[in-house]
Amino acid sequence: TVFAFNLDYIMDSKKNETKRELFIWKSEHDCEFLREVLLEQPHRFAYGSKERGNVWQKIADNLMQNKGMRVTKRAVRKRFDKLYEEFKEREKKEKRDSGIEVEYDEKHQALTEYHELIMDWQSEREQTKEVESDIGVNFLFGKQLSVCSKGNG
């Protein structure tokens, strides 16, 4: 079963020319890919961070070296985004249509597990931001008090 395809540019080492190569994502590729995502966990780092980009690159490198999949960092990131969006839509539909018995495959189970991790990381980031915000407010409030007391003394 073919789910999607990806066109990537690969450098031809002999001629130093850019050449397009077609990689077709199949169900077995998705399972291998999601195992790598669960192992490397790119979403534990902030969106747009260098660390997160490095993890996506590592996933692409691992898939190329160990599984022979011709993918790039961008291709794996986009594929995960697509799979994750489809997963969230399916979850919404299943909640609306409660009572329908659904069979979960390995891909869905991996996405469910990773979704829970993403929710945990997002919660941790929000708590960290709240603490940092509180520290900043207390610092500014403390400064303001010390300025006021100096002026009155």
Side-chain angles (χ1 to χ4, degrees):
T1 306
V2 176
F3 290 100
F5 64 91
N6 176 43
L7 292 176
D8 288 316
Y9 293 94
I10 307 296
M11 293 297 288
D12 185 350
S13 59
K14 294 178 184 174
K15 298 180 182 178
N16 202 22
E17 295 176 0
T18 302
K19 156 180 144 174
R20 247 185 200 191
E21 187 165 310
L22 178 68
F23 179 77
I24 299 173
W25 287 93
K26 296 183 179 178
S27 185
E28 60 267 14
H29 295 131
D30 286 339
C31 291
E32 292 293 332
F33 167 58
L34 289 171
R35 281 189 206 110
E36 283 292 323
V37 171
L38 278 166
L39 180 67
E40 299 298 335
Q41 302 178 342
H43 291 83
R44 72 180 184 264
F45 299 107
Y47 178 80
S49 69
K50 188 174 185 176
E51 294 87 356
R52 193 171 186 167
N54 290 342
V55 174
W56 283 122
Q57 184 61 57
K58 185 176 181 182
I59 290 170
D61 292 344
N62 289 345
L63 292 172
M64 285 180 66
Q65 292 170 3
N66 302 328
K67 307 297 178 191
M69 297 168 63
R70 303 286 290 184
V71 294
T72 62
K73 174 172 76 170
R74 181 179 181 187
V76 294
R77 189 181 67 238
K78 288 179 83 172
R79 183 63 178 171
F80 179 80
D81 290 345
K82 182 181 185 313
L83 290 173
Y84 192 56
E85 286 304 313
E86 289 172 354
F87 166 79
K88 290 191 293 187
E89 286 298 317
R90 182 176 173 185
E91 289 290 300
K92 281 184 198 173
K93 184 180 184 305
E94 287 173 6
K95 281 183 183 177
R96 279 192 313 252
D97 302 341
S98 62
I100 297 175
E101 190 152 331
V102 181
E103 191 173 311
Y104 297 114
D105 58 0
E106 181 182 0
K107 187 166 69 171
H108 190 271
Q109 290 172 349
L111 284 164
T112 301
E113 183 178 337
Y114 199 68
H115 173 72
E116 291 169 5
L117 289 171
I118 288 174
M119 295 295 105
D120 291 345
W121 292 319
Q122 285 178 346
S123 177
E124 287 175 15
R125 282 191 201 109
E126 288 171 9
Q127 289 174 355
T128 302
K129 283 181 184 178
E130 287 174 11
V131 168
E132 289 171 354
S133 176
D134 290 346
I135 290 170
V137 167
N138 290 338
F139 176 75
L140 289 174
F141 187 65
K143 278 278 198 201
Q144 190 174 6
L145 281 178
S146 65
V147 170
C148 290
S149 63
K150 285 181 185 175
N152 293 333

